[in-house]
Amino acid sequence: MPSAPYYRADLARIHHEGFGFHADAVAPGILKLLEGVRERDGLVLEIGCGSGLLTKYLVDAGHRVLATDCSAAMLGLARVYVRGAVGVEQLCLPDDVVPDADAIVSVGHPLSYLDDEKQLDRSLTKIARALRVGGMLAFDICDFRWGEARLDQPPMVWFGEDWVLITRTSVPDRRTFRREMTTFFRATDELWRRDDEIHDNVLVDVSKIPSLLARNGIRAEVRTSFGDESLPTGLVAVIGYRAGRA
């Protein structure tokens, strides 16, 4: 776990207001994958729900959703933004218990926020074992190409009505993509509040993931997308099923 929690209050709000495009892009494909789960009123477990950007699509489509995240600030936003979820609860991998569910989804590469590949393997094992018979698993994750495509990327700046985000990226080694983010929030007419967060993403050989899931009863494949959307270079979708009838 990082020495300071990821997505504290200021960055969580910036992400909610300025970075909803990924949930918007993947929602149609995720919803289509989940049609059978909705028809039988199955429970969807969302891991890394953030502020509830995908959660709202799921709930609005009629799904029963248990939304989870490790960031307390993100969960606070999700509880306000999404009404009608079964629950909005804290879940921090790899140590917390993963509840059983008929479908498990995770988008925006939350699993890439784990410290290393060993933690990822532990987490995927827990997730696989929590998927009920006839269940569906869908998540996105960063592979080595994510870092390779962003070598020497220049600093980037985003801004809203009362905030500014400056992001500097680096690739310290093949298995790590690092974001150093500085946020400024307007505190008064004349004063701005600053915070800094450093996020490390673990990069992996995603071709090994289906065999890990297979050892836990999940038939999975790596795809370029969940549906018709185009994912960024280095971000891939993994979709799997546990055989049998629910």
Side-chain angles (χ1 to χ4, degrees):
M1 296 293 291
S3 57
Y6 288 151
Y7 288 107
R8 298 188 292 275
D10 287 351
L11 186 59
R13 188 184 139 196
I14 287 172
H15 190 277
H16 179 70
E17 293 184 3
F19 293 85
F21 49 82
H22 185 67
D24 294 340
V26 303
I30 292 288
L31 290 173
K32 186 170 182 59
L33 290 169
L34 289 172
E35 285 179 352
V37 177
R38 179 175 51 83
E39 288 170 359
R40 64 177 188 268
D41 197 31
L43 177 67
V44 179
L45 172 65
E46 185 181 4
I47 292 178
C49 69
S51 60
L53 295 168
L54 178 68
T55 318
K56 191 172 190 306
Y57 279 104
L58 299 174
V59 171
D60 288 351
H63 285 284
R64 295 195 303 119
V65 183
L66 173 57
T68 69
D69 202 280
C70 193
S71 164
M74 283 293 201
L75 291 171
L77 292 170
R79 291 185 180 110
V80 173
Y81 183 64
V82 181
R83 302 293 184 183
V86 171
V88 178
E89 301 177 3
Q90 189 169 50
L91 188 153
C92 298
L93 292 171
D95 295 325
D96 287 353
V97 174
V98 177
D100 291 350
D102 300 288
I104 302 176
V105 299
S106 180
V107 306
H109 58 85
L111 295 174
S112 297
Y113 275 83
L114 292 160
D115 288 349
D116 52 41
E117 195 164 358
K118 182 179 291 187
Q119 286 195 3
L120 176 61
D121 289 355
R122 285 177 57 201
S123 299
L124 288 175
T125 298
K126 282 189 171 185
I127 289 169
R129 292 174 178 175
L131 190 64
R132 293 170 179 158
V133 171
M136 191 278 297
L137 170 65
F139 62 90
D140 56 22
I141 193 166
C142 299
D143 67 12
F144 291 133
R145 293 176 303 141
W146 181 274
E148 294 164 358
R150 292 162 179 82
L151 290 170
D152 302 317
Q153 184 171 258
M156 293 174 286
V157 179
W158 294 268
F159 58 89
E161 184 176 343
D162 59 354
W163 55 262
V164 177
L165 169 64
I166 303 169
T167 299
R168 301 162 299 283
T169 63
S170 60
V171 186
D173 57 72
R174 191 172 186 234
R175 296 184 178 276
T176 307
F177 180 75
R178 177 167 295 160
R179 294 181 183 85
E180 299 179 60
M181 293 170 284
T182 300
T183 61
F184 295 93
F185 255 93
R186 188 187 298 277
T188 69
D189 289 342
E190 298 180 353
L191 297 177
W192 290 71
R193 178 178 67 251
R194 173 176 172 163
D195 195 13
D196 293 271
E197 295 197 28
I198 298 176
H199 293 189
D200 282 348
N201 292 152
V202 60
L203 309 179
V204 298
D205 179 357
V206 297
S207 67
K208 297 180 179 179
I209 291 177
S211 60
L212 183 151
L213 294 173
R215 292 195 294 272
N216 292 280
I218 306 298
R219 177 176 50 84
E221 62 179 350
V222 177
R223 299 185 188 177
T224 57
S225 66
F226 296 110
D228 295 332
E229 81 282 357
S230 296
L231 295 179
T233 301
L235 186 66
V236 300
V238 178
I239 299 169
Y241 299 87
R242 183 178 293 283
R245 289 190 175 184

